Amino acid sequence: MPQDIIGWFHTIAAIIALITGSLILSYAKGTETHKFIGRVYGVSMLVVCATSFMIYRVHNTFGVLHVFAIISTITLLLEMLPLYSRLYKKPVLTHLAWMYWSVIGLYCAFAAEVFTRLPTILEIKNSYGIFYALVGISAGIVGFVGSYFFKKRKRIWEQRFG
């Protein structure tokens, strides 16, 4: 559970992002509903990313989870750039791809967050190695499954928007 106000903002924003990100992936693209939910997702992810840099649970230092927060922030920016720039030949496809990976990255972070609670629940001492193994394994599995579905969806998007 979050230990302070920053942790609560981070958690609530992450839950909102998980819900809106899932809706974005499942709803029709380009509608007013899509745009509204996408904006909510974007703002909630900005809060998640910003607050992630204020959380120092492990070793009280900048760590691997902060590196993932940087990647998430970059992905979030790259998903919006094609919609506001004329530099892209296929801006909708580029937006869809980056948006998809932004949400999959959020799913990976959620899985890692859930599974890294196991050492505490099981009362395992000196669990930093287990912590990072669980982060890698859980995020890897979710990322692998996400890449499978991405490949399937990409073909559909290329036919529709390409």
Side-chain angles (χ1 to χ4, degrees):
M1 289 299 295
Q3 302 299 318
D4 58 17
I5 192 70
I6 299 298
W8 279 108
F9 272 109
H10 183 79
T11 301
I12 292 167
I15 291 168
I16 293 168
L18 281 165
I19 293 167
T20 56
S22 297
L23 292 174
I24 284 292
L25 293 183
S26 61
Y27 281 15
K29 311 298 180 245
T31 65
E32 289 303 314
T33 301
H34 170 87
K35 293 174 186 177
F36 174 77
I37 294 171
R39 287 183 186 106
V40 173
Y41 173 80
V43 169
S44 63
M45 279 301 295
L46 284 173
V47 171
V48 168
C49 291
T51 56
S52 70
F53 295 110
M54 300 175 203
I55 298 171
Y56 293 94
R57 275 188 235 148
V58 180
H59 300 300
N60 290 324
T61 185
F62 189 90
V64 69
L65 299 179
H66 294 102
V67 172
F68 288 129
I70 292 170
I71 293 168
S72 182
T73 304
I74 292 168
T75 303
L76 183 65
L77 296 173
L78 289 173
E79 78 187 37
M80 295 311 299
L81 191 62
L83 300 179
Y84 298 104
S85 172
R86 299 187 190 274
L87 299 174
Y88 297 88
K89 292 180 182 176
K90 298 178 180 180
V92 174
L93 285 175
T94 305
H95 168 73
L96 285 168
W98 284 110
M99 177 66 198
Y100 185 90
W101 284 110
S102 176
V103 176
I104 294 303
L106 183 60
Y107 291 165
C108 289
F110 177 71
E113 184 68 28
V114 169
F115 283 101
T116 58
R117 302 292 177 185
L118 288 177
T120 303
I121 292 168
L122 299 174
E123 298 179 5
I124 298 172
K125 305 283 186 213
N126 301 322
S127 62
Y128 291 120
I130 294 170
F131 175 87
Y132 288 113
L134 290 171
V135 167
I137 292 167
S138 60
I141 290 170
V142 172
F144 180 77
V145 171
S147 69
Y148 170 79
F149 285 103
F150 175 76
K151 288 176 185 175
K152 286 178 67 172
R153 298 299 304 168
K154 187 178 178 192
R155 285 187 223 119
I156 295 167
W157 294 334
E158 286 173 341
Q159 291 172 352
R160 183 167 178 208
F161 301 109

